Amino acid sequence: MKKAFLLMTIFFTFLGVLAGCGTEKSSGGDVSEKVVIGYFPNINHVPAMVAKDKGFYEEQLGNGTKIEYKTFPDGSSFMTALKTGEIDAGLVGPGPAMNNYMTGADVKIIGGGSTGGTVVLASKESGVKTVDDFAGKSFITPAVGCTHDVQVETFLKEHGIESQRIGGTMKHVTGNPAQYANMLKSGKVDIAVAPEPWAAVIQQETGANIIIDHDEISFGETLPASVLVASGKSVKENPDTIQKIVDAHKEATSFIAENPEEAKEITIKDVKDVTGQELSKEVVDQAWERIGFTYKVDSDAVQAFADSSYELKFLKEKPEFTDLIDKQFID
C-alpha cells in the first residue's frame, strides 16, 4: 500500500513538472510567461496607457503571456526596477536611460515614445515674470539630472544662470509633479519644471505664468520626451519578445494618431486610476497641443542632449551612445 502511494506521488509530481514547463513558454516560443511594462502617469507616456487599455501587448505576445504594468513617479525608481528585473521594458525619459547607461547599466533604447511636453511655470507670488528674474529663486523638477532638469538647466546656462549644484544661485528641489500645484500655491517653490499634463493642471489650478513654453525650452521639439527601453540582456536573449513589445508600442502610437479623442479618454481614466487625480478634458486638450507621439528616435538629438548633460556635470564622462540606441526593432 505504501509502495503504491509512493508511485502515485512520483507520477503526479512528474505531471506537475511537465505542466510547469508548458506555462514557461509563450505561444511564440520565448521564455516569457510574464512581461512587466513600466511607465509614468503623465502624457508623455500615453502609448503605454493606450496599449494597456486596448490589450495590444496581449495581442502581440499571445495568450500564454501574462502582462503586468507598474507605474513610477520618476526615472530613478524606473531604472532601478529595470536593472533588478522588476520590469522587462517600458517608457522612461531619455535622461535616466542615458545616466544609467553611463554608469554601466545594461539598458537599450529600442524605440521612441513622445516629444515635447516640458513647460516652465512660475507662481504669481514669486515675482518671476521672465528668465531674467530666475536668479536666487527655487525651482523643482522630478529628479536631479532627469530629462526635464537637463532641459531647463541647459536653457538657463545659455542665459548665464546656474543652479546651486554647479555653483549658481538657484535652489533646486525635487518632487512628484502631481504635487507641484500645491507647492507653488504654498510658496514652497517659486518655479516648476513640469511635464504634461501637470503643466496644464498648474495653469488651471494656480494661474501660474508660463515662463518657458514647450517649444522654447532646450531640445523642446527634437528630443524624445520618453523612450521605450529594455535591458540589453533581453534584447540579446529574447529578440522575438522584444520585437512584439515594440510592435505593440507602434500599434498604440498609430492608434493615438487615428483616435486622439479616445486616446484622451483612456489617458484621463488611467491617470485617475494611478494617481487618484481626475484630469479635466480641458487640461488634457491643452496638454495634447504640447506633445508629439512617435516610436522613432532622433539619435542626433539624444547625443546633443547627452553632451549637454555632461557639460552640466550630470555625467562624469563624455558620453558616446552608439550602443545605447538599438533601432533594429523599429526600422
Side-chain angles (χ1 to χ4, degrees), residues 132-173:
D132 294 336
D133 301 320
F134 275 30
K137 300 294 185 181
S138 60
F139 72 106
I140 187 167
T141 69
V144 175
C146 71
T147 306
H148 317 288
D149 191 7
V150 174
Q151 283 186 269
V152 72
E153 292 207 38
T154 300
F155 183 92
L156 294 178
K157 188 175 182 181
E158 292 170 353
H159 289 73
I161 304 169
E162 294 180 328
S163 69
Q164 290 179 348
R165 180 182 56 83
I166 50 177
T169 62
M170 292 194 71
K171 180 183 178 182
H172 182 202
V173 297

Side-chain angles (χ1 to χ4, degrees), residues 168-189:
T169 62
M170 292 194 71
K171 180 183 178 182
H172 182 202
V173 297
T174 62
N176 188 335
Q179 300 170 342
Y180 287 2
N182 287 333
M183 295 182 77
L184 285 172
K185 283 193 288 189
S186 64
K188 291 182 178 178
V189 294

Side-chain angles (χ1 to χ4, degrees), residues 40-42 44-45 72-78 92-93 95-96 99 117-121 139-153 172-180 183 189 191-199 202 217 225 314:
F40 302 1
N42 71 50
N44 286 320
H45 295 238
F72 298 88
D74 57 69
S76 296
S77 56
F78 176 99
V92 67
N99 293 345
T118 298
V119 180
V120 181
L121 309 98
F139 72 106
I140 187 167
T141 69
V144 175
C146 71
T147 306
H148 317 288
D149 191 7
V150 174
Q151 283 186 269
V152 72
E153 292 207 38
H172 182 202
V173 297
T174 62
N176 188 335
Q179 300 170 342
Y180 287 2
M183 295 182 77
V189 294
I191 298 158
V193 184
E196 292 292 4
W198 307 116
I202 291 169
I217 197 165
F314 288 118

Side-chain angles (χ1 to χ4, degrees), residues 28-284:
D30 296 320
V31 182
S32 55
E33 63 177 325
K34 184 175 77 173
V35 168
V36 185
I37 303 294
Y39 69 96
F40 302 1
N42 71 50
I43 290 187
N44 286 320
H45 295 238
V46 169
M49 302 181 202
V50 167
K52 174 183 173 183
D53 183 85
K54 307 305 288 187
F56 291 151
Y57 288 117
E58 286 83 352
E59 289 178 7
Q60 288 289 342
L61 289 160
N63 294 330
T65 303
K66 179 181 179 182
I67 310 298
E68 291 184 359
Y69 299 88
K70 289 185 180 293
T71 57
F72 298 88
D74 57 69
S76 296
S77 56
F78 176 99
M79 290 306 304
T80 297
L82 184 70
K83 288 185 286 187
T84 59
E86 184 182 347
I87 59 174
D88 296 291
L91 288 171
V92 67
M98 288 185 285
N99 293 345
N100 279 267
Y101 175 81
M102 290 298 295
T103 57
D106 179 28
V107 56
K108 294 283 187 184
I109 294 176
I110 54 176
S114 62
T115 59
T118 298
V119 180
V120 181
L121 309 98
S123 66
K124 291 181 178 178
E125 293 74 18
S126 68
V128 175
K129 295 182 179 178
T130 71
V131 175
D132 294 336
D133 301 320
F134 275 30
K137 300 294 185 181
S138 60
F139 72 106
I140 187 167
T141 69
V144 175
C146 71
T147 306
H148 317 288
D149 191 7
V150 174
Q151 283 186 269
V152 72
E153 292 207 38
T154 300
F155 183 92
L156 294 178
K157 188 175 182 181
E158 292 170 353
H159 289 73
I161 304 169
E162 294 180 328
S163 69
Q164 290 179 348
R165 180 182 56 83
I166 50 177
T169 62
M170 292 194 71
K171 180 183 178 182
H172 182 202
V173 297
T174 62
N176 188 335
Q179 300 170 342
Y180 287 2
N182 287 333
M183 295 182 77
L184 285 172
K185 283 193 288 189
S186 64
K188 291 182 178 178
V189 294
D190 302 304
I191 298 158
V193 184
E196 292 292 4
W198 307 116
V201 170
I202 291 169
Q203 273 187 283
Q204 295 216 353
E205 291 188 0
T206 73
N209 297 315
I210 292 180
I211 309 300
I212 309 171
D213 212 336
H214 73 289
D215 56 352
E216 298 172 328
I217 197 165
S218 298
F219 312 109
E221 293 185 309
T222 57
L223 180 73
S226 64
V227 289
L228 185 65
V229 299
S231 70
K233 183 174 184 291
S234 295
V235 168
K236 182 179 180 180
E237 296 183 355
N238 298 304
D240 290 344
T241 297
I242 296 299
Q243 183 64 67
K244 291 171 183 175
I245 290 173
V246 173
D247 287 346
H249 176 68
K250 292 169 70 173
E251 197 172 358
T253 304
S254 297
F255 182 91
I256 295 167
E258 295 166 4
N259 307 276
E261 293 307 311
E262 186 175 349
K264 291 175 185 177
E265 293 175 4
I266 292 169
T267 302
I268 291 170
K269 180 180 183 302
D270 198 275
V271 171
K272 182 181 180 183
D273 289 345
V274 173
T275 70
Q277 289 187 254
E278 184 167 6
L279 302 172
S280 70
K281 180 64 164 50
E282 291 74 20
V283 162
V284 174

